[in-house]
Amino acid sequence: FNRHETYYQEGPEELFFPTSMVQSIAYSDGSEFTTDYLIHSAEAMTVEFAYDYEVPRRNIWGAVGGLEAHFSSQSITTKICNSDGSLWKVQPSSSSLRLTLPEIFSLAGEPDILDKVQERLGENLKMQAAFALGPVARVSGLSVLLSLECGSHLDGLHGCNDPSLDGTGGPVCTLTARHKQA
């Protein structure tokens, strides 16, 4: 990890945003100097993506054969849901979907998660630790899962406790965020 980078891709569908780092310098006399840094730029990061999906071609009487492709940039309306199931935002078809990390944490129901003590991870054993009951997530890390569920109004896809878009006649996807506990 280069301290000038703001994220890196861990897998095909996984991004890592560093929020803290430790720098150790070893000197030729055998001594060592260690410094901890918090990286506050994570709050300024934005995740931007586009997506597509294919479904069997059908009409109101059922499947008619072949596949029909839908693209978030052209034909998909996206409902973005809060953790309580309420509708946060409706994103019409556009070039991409854009969410800041604070928005993602809020959608997962934990807007201040980076600076919350993670007691479930165990006591912080570092001497004179500022947070003795456990590390803050900014130091220990956390995982938030973004999920998309897609279909058409004919599938009865509701999501977000708001059926208002179900009669639009077009493809609808529901985006949710969930904090994955370690």
Side-chain angles (χ1 to χ4, degrees):
F1 170 73
N2 178 330
R3 66 186 176 96
H4 299 289
E5 294 176 352
T6 53
Y7 78 95
Y8 65 88
Q9 192 163 354
E10 287 192 322
E13 298 174 353
E14 212 169 330
L15 299 176
F16 175 78
F17 297 92
T19 54
S20 68
M21 65 180 272
V22 176
Q23 181 180 31
S24 295
I25 300 172
Y27 296 102
S28 59
D29 65 0
S31 63
E32 187 175 310
F33 176 75
T34 302
T35 306
D36 299 318
Y37 296 99
L38 295 180
I39 303 172
H40 293 284
S41 63
E43 281 88 337
M45 294 296 297
T46 299
V47 176
E48 184 173 359
F49 61 96
Y51 61 93
D52 61 81
Y53 73 98
E54 291 181 334
V55 293
R57 188 175 306 280
R58 55 196 254 184
N59 59 27
I60 59 172
W61 298 283
V64 294
L67 293 176
E68 183 176 6
H70 297 285
F71 302 90
S72 60
S73 61
Q74 297 173 1
S75 59
I76 301 172
T77 299
T78 306
K79 294 179 179 183
I80 305 172
C81 306
N82 287 308
S83 62
D84 65 2
S86 64
L87 181 65
W88 177 67
K89 181 179 176 182
V90 175
Q91 175 74 38
S93 302
S94 65
S95 58
S96 60
L97 206 56
R98 190 176 299 162
L99 297 167
T100 65
L101 287 185
E103 287 173 334
I104 291 170
F105 298 149
S106 289
L107 292 172
E110 304 198 50
D112 302 317
I113 187 70
L114 284 179
D115 297 314
K116 280 188 178 175
V117 173
Q118 305 298 303
E119 291 182 29
R120 64 181 170 62
L121 296 179
E123 183 180 349
N124 191 341
L125 300 177
K126 185 176 181 181
M127 300 206 35
Q128 300 177 356
F131 304 101
L133 296 176
V136 292
R138 185 180 300 277
V139 174
S140 65
L142 71 134
S143 184
V144 176
L145 176 68
L146 293 178
S147 299
L148 273 171
E149 180 183 359
C150 297
S152 80
H153 72 289
L154 297 173
D155 297 324
L157 177 71
H158 295 291
C160 294
N161 299 328
D162 181 357
S164 62
L165 295 175
D166 296 341
T168 61
V172 176
C173 290
T174 302
L175 177 73
T176 57
R178 181 175 58 85
H179 175 203
K180 287 175 54 178
Q181 302 290 331

